[in-house]
Amino acid sequence: MKKLLASVVLGATLFSALPALAADGTKIAMLDREAALLASNAARTAQEKLNAEMKPQRDRLDALRNDIKAMEQRFQKESATMSESNKKALRDQADKKAQEFNTLIQQVQERTQQAQQDLLKRLLPNLEGILDDLRKAGDYDIILDRRSAVYVAPELDLTKRVVDRLNAGK
């Protein structure tokens, strides 16, 4: 909580100082790094590959979800006439399916996070080089995170230029 408050105060202080910096001749640009990386061809290709790779797991999750729902509906409809042992067996079966579902969800999330980290490791050096080139070419003194600004003039937003360069392999 303290870190969040400190970030907000720091951001507000920095943005309140921007007009003075701009009047001083300081050149400022903005960038949404995450949006730039995600909009790149490499990220799209990686996402498509991950989606294809994870299709069997997603299909299994859908099947498990449907099985669990069917068991719940069966239990609601038939519980009045079911024996206690049948109720227990159905509950146990539903619990096993739910446990399998939760385990598979966790595996899918971990695989997705790993794929994202691998992509970042691969693209970040490229991104840093592109940013350095753009900073030098534009003679920018400061490049800020676009997401922390309420409004940015389009000519100050470097995001599209970064995406174009990432896609061009520069």
Side-chain angles (χ1 to χ4, degrees), residues 6 9 33 73 75 88 92 95-96 118-119 123 144 162:
V9 170
R33 289 168 48 141
Q73 289 173 345
F75 187 81
K88 183 180 179 341
D92 289 346
D95 288 345
K96 272 180 99 172
D118 292 346
L119 179 67
L123 291 180
L144 298 171
V162 169

Side-chain angles (χ1 to χ4, degrees), residues 63-103:
L64 286 168
R65 188 179 295 115
N66 291 337
D67 289 349
I68 293 167
K69 186 176 179 180
M71 287 178 195
E72 288 172 351
Q73 289 173 345
R74 180 176 169 218
F75 187 81
Q76 287 176 356
K77 284 182 183 178
E78 300 175 15
S79 66
T81 60
M82 286 178 130
S83 69
E84 285 303 315
S85 62
N86 285 346
K87 285 180 187 178
K88 183 180 179 341
L90 186 58
R91 270 190 239 124
D92 289 346
Q93 191 179 7
D95 288 345
K96 272 180 99 172
K97 296 262 184 192
Q99 187 175 23
E100 182 182 351
F101 181 86
N102 291 332
T103 300

